[in-house]
Every structure is written in C-alpha cells, then in structure tokens.
Amino acid sequence: MKIYHLIIIFQWVCLQPIVYEIVGSIHILQIRITHVKNMTWRFIDTDMIDGYYSAALFESIAKHVGSGEVDDTILFWRAKTPAVYLGYHQYVEDEIHEDYCAASGIQVVRRVLGGGCGYCDEKQILFSVIASEGGGAVPTDIQGAYSRILGGLINTLRALGFDGKLEPMRNAVYSQGHKISGNAQGRFAGAVLFCVNDVMDLTK
C-alpha cells in the first residue's frame, strides 16, 4: 500500500477505511464515504501488471460495478512492460509504428475508452476510477466529472509540494510546465470509467 495512492484517494473525497486485505500480490482496501450514507468504495492496488491484463481488468470491473455486483472501485496499477494504449476508435496504422513496437517489446493495447493513444511504462502510475453511473459519486456531465476526478490528483500534487493545474481543453494535468497526466473517460454498461496516467519522472 503506497502512501502516494492513499493521498490521491483521500484528497479526492473524504473517506474512511473499513476493510483491508491482501489477495496474492493484490492489495484491496474497502473504504466508506463519510458524508454519503451507506456508500462504500473498493481500492485495489495490483502493482506491476501486463498491459493487456490491465485493460481487461478495468473493463471487467466497470461491467461488474455497472451491474451492481461490486462496489465502486479505485484501481491502481503500473505497466510491467512498456505499452501503447489505443483509443477505442483509433486506427493502429494511423497512430503507431507497429514494427518498432514489436522490435522494442512495446505492447499495443486497445482500451474500451475513446480518446487518443498514450505510452505507458514503469515510470508512471496509472489508476482508474470506476463508479456506478448516476450513483452520485461522480458528476453526470462529462466536464464536471473530469474536474472532480482530476481535482484529487491536483490536490495530491500540491500536498506533495508540487504545483498542479487542470487544462480543460485537453482534460490534462500540468505540473511545472509539463503535461504529466493524460486521461480518458467513458460510460457504458451502467458505469462511468476514468483512466488516468500520472508521469512520475519528468527528466526526459
């Protein structure tokens, strides 16, 4: 359980931990929102996982959240191997050099969400916020939802001593003049799903 992860979720909304367990290498924390009656969230930290597995995992969780089978979930992971995540509607040949990716061991993963493609490696922390659509935890309008979710990341940067600013035209977070977070949002199967990548090394 990493303190950086806990700062993000506690900055995002006032939460109270109620259950914590470790299943294999996966850390699971169940948390309760203190100002909303009977609303609980799961916090899952998988640490380093495969890019294909990560995309399947957050899509599966969204389907289960949307159906009401599991609680709203915050999922953290890091890329075990470098990966390029493609938006749902993008053409592979228009976005990446497939031969270079194959030769360099970079996975090419199509996610269920739209938006542009993004490169992810071990120098980034990735997380998903997966909530029941219309459940009240995430605003129903798209821009309001971005502001709410990314507000937690911005507050976390400030708590750690860095500046953070939301660029609403790109729905991206900037710090010290650098874009450090690209984000995607989608609504399907009764759930709203956010995926956020947070660059931790700004050297190059």
Side-chain angles (χ1 to χ4, degrees):
M1 185 69 64
K2 299 174 180 61
I3 187 64
Y4 179 82
H5 297 169
L6 291 176
I7 291 174
I8 285 180
I9 60 175
F10 279 84
Q11 288 285 345
W12 179 61
V13 66
C14 184
L15 303 170
Q16 177 183 355
I18 53 177
V19 177
Y20 176 63
E21 61 180 330
I22 301 176
V23 179
S25 62
I26 298 176
H27 295 247
I28 302 175
L29 171 70
Q30 190 178 35
I31 49 184
R32 185 179 304 279
I33 300 178
T34 57
H35 64 275
V36 181
K37 185 178 181 181
N38 296 326
M39 180 177 286
T40 58
W41 283 69
R42 294 186 308 165
F43 169 82
I44 301 175
D45 181 5
T46 67
D47 199 26
M48 307 289 285
I49 60 174
D50 178 85
Y52 303 120
Y53 179 74
S54 68
L57 181 60
F58 62 66
E59 180 178 351
S60 176
I61 292 174
K63 291 178 178 178
H64 285 80
V65 167
S67 68
E69 296 177 66
V70 299
D71 290 324
D72 294 352
T73 301
I74 299 174
L75 168 70
F76 276 91
W77 78 94
R78 299 183 71 185
K80 180 186 291 186
T81 56
V84 174
Y85 288 85
L86 283 165
Y88 184 77
H89 300 288
Q90 291 186 303
Y91 291 103
V92 174
E93 58 270 22
D94 291 342
E95 302 295 333
I96 64 171
H97 295 287
E98 293 181 81
D99 292 342
Y100 176 84
C101 289
S104 303
I106 301 173
Q107 296 178 334
V108 179
V109 183
R110 184 176 299 281
R111 61 176 184 261
V112 71
L113 299 176
C117 66
Y119 172 79
C120 298
D121 59 22
E122 73 281 358
K123 295 179 181 179
Q124 300 174 46
I125 292 176
L126 301 103
F127 67 95
S128 297
V129 176
I130 307 164
S132 175
E133 189 172 17
V138 176
T140 56
D141 65 292
I142 293 175
Q143 204 57 49
Y146 273 120
S147 296
R148 178 72 182 278
I149 300 300
L150 297 178
L153 177 56
I154 291 169
N155 289 340
T156 299
L157 288 168
R158 292 171 179 171
L160 294 172
F162 300 97
D163 69 302
K165 182 175 70 173
L166 173 63
E167 170 50 64
M169 293 297 293
R170 298 179 177 86
N171 292 312
V173 175
Y174 285 75
S175 180
Q176 301 178 8
H178 298 274
K179 178 182 175 181
I180 67 162
S181 178
N183 315 280
Q185 175 183 174
R187 296 163 192 262
F188 66 98
V192 54
L193 168 61
F194 286 83
C195 286
V196 181
N197 74 302
D198 187 15
V199 178
M200 301 302 294
D201 186 346
L202 299 179
T203 54
K204 284 293 181 183

